[in-house]
């Protein structure tokens, strides 16, 4: 495994664990039992990728790879430990938000690459990249009977959309798939971290 691929692999692991932690804490907040916490944690971590793979007519990687489910379960366990130590408030702290941003960057890039290899259109790349990044959280909110937070909370899904556009422009400009993926990850991570620190949000109309 080359250095760049190793870095991306680590980013994916961080994302799987961070997303599982976030989903599990959300489940605890809504007073779900241990099974509910585990299901919500796993779906938050893996739901976006599973949905993406189904849409491109692939067996979901989460059903093939042992590591994806293992890291998601580790995230559920970490969430339980963090809750015992700090309570639910931990989900809005940098210790969760920054790894979550890394995961968003990695997952968005994975989605963009899978979409490109599936030979879909520009809009297909944007949709599949964004779905991979935010789909798990969207599914977990729907399971809880809530309006998905990515549609009203903060500057989150927009980071994935911008990163996917950057990926597509990079590919059109002649960059390799790996270089385009690196650009996508960097753009998503940079924008998301700025959004966290400066509390960016899209305008609302009421």
């Amino acid at each position: 495994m080359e250095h760049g691929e190793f870095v991306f692999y680590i980013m994916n692991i961080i994302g799987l664990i961070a997303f599982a932690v976030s989903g599990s804490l959300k489940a605890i907040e809504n007073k779900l039992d241990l099974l509910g916490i585990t299901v919500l944690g796993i779906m938050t971590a893996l739901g976006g990728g599973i949905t993406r793979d189904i849409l491109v007519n692939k067996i979901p990687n989460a059903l093939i790879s042992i590591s994806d489910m293992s890291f998601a379960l580790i995230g559920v366990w970490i969430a339980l430990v963090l809750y015992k130590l700090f309570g639910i408030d931990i989900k809005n702290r940098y210790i969760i938000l920054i790894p979550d941003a890394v995961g968003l960057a990695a997952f968005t890039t994975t989605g963009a690459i899978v979409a490109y290899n599936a030979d879909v259109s520009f809009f297909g790349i944007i949709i599949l990249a964004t779905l991979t990044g935010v789909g798990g959280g969207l599914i977990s909110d729907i399971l809880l009977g809530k309006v998905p937070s990515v549609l009203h909370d903060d500057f989150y899904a927009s980071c994935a959309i911008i990163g996917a556009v950057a990926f597509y422009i990079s590919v059109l400009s002649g960059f390799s798939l790996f270089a385009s993926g690196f650009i996508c990850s960097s753009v998503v991570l940079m924008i998301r971290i700025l959004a966290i620190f400066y509390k960016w949000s899209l305008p609302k109309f009421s």
Side-chain angles (χ1 to χ4, degrees), residues 122 125-126 162-175 180 183:
F122 163 73
I125 291 175
I126 305 303
I162 295 169
V165 171
F167 171 86
Y168 185 77
I169 292 174
S170 299
V171 170
L172 284 185
S173 300
F175 287 92
S180 298
I183 292 170

Side-chain angles (χ1 to χ4, degrees), residues 103-117:
L104 179 65
F107 287 7
T108 299
T109 303
T110 300
I113 292 173
V114 169
Y116 179 81
N117 287 331

Side-chain angles (χ1 to χ4, degrees), residues 45-169:
L46 304 178
I50 290 173
T51 306
R52 175 206 66 219
D53 287 343
I54 291 172
L55 288 174
V56 297
N57 201 29
K58 286 177 54 182
I59 297 176
N61 189 62
L63 302 182
I64 300 172
S65 169
I66 295 177
S67 62
D68 284 3
M69 184 66 73
S70 299
F71 287 123
L73 289 171
I74 289 171
V76 173
W77 179 80
I78 290 174
L80 294 172
V81 172
L82 289 175
Y83 173 68
K84 288 296 184 181
L85 293 175
F86 303 106
I88 295 171
D89 286 345
I90 191 73
K91 70 184 175 67
N92 291 318
R93 297 183 186 178
Y94 292 146
I95 191 175
I96 300 297
L97 293 177
I98 299 303
D100 183 271
V102 173
L104 179 65
F107 287 7
T108 299
T109 303
T110 300
I113 292 173
V114 169
Y116 179 81
N117 287 331
D119 199 28
V120 300
S121 69
F122 163 73
F123 292 110
I125 291 175
I126 305 303
I127 291 169
L128 290 176
T130 304
L131 181 61
T132 307
V134 309
L138 188 149
I139 291 170
S140 66
D141 284 340
I142 291 174
L143 288 174
L144 291 171
K146 297 181 176 182
V147 176
S149 60
V150 298
L151 300 181
H152 64 83
D153 241 6
D154 58 9
F155 205 80
Y156 193 82
S158 303
C159 302
I161 294 172
I162 295 169
V165 171
F167 171 86
Y168 185 77
I169 292 174

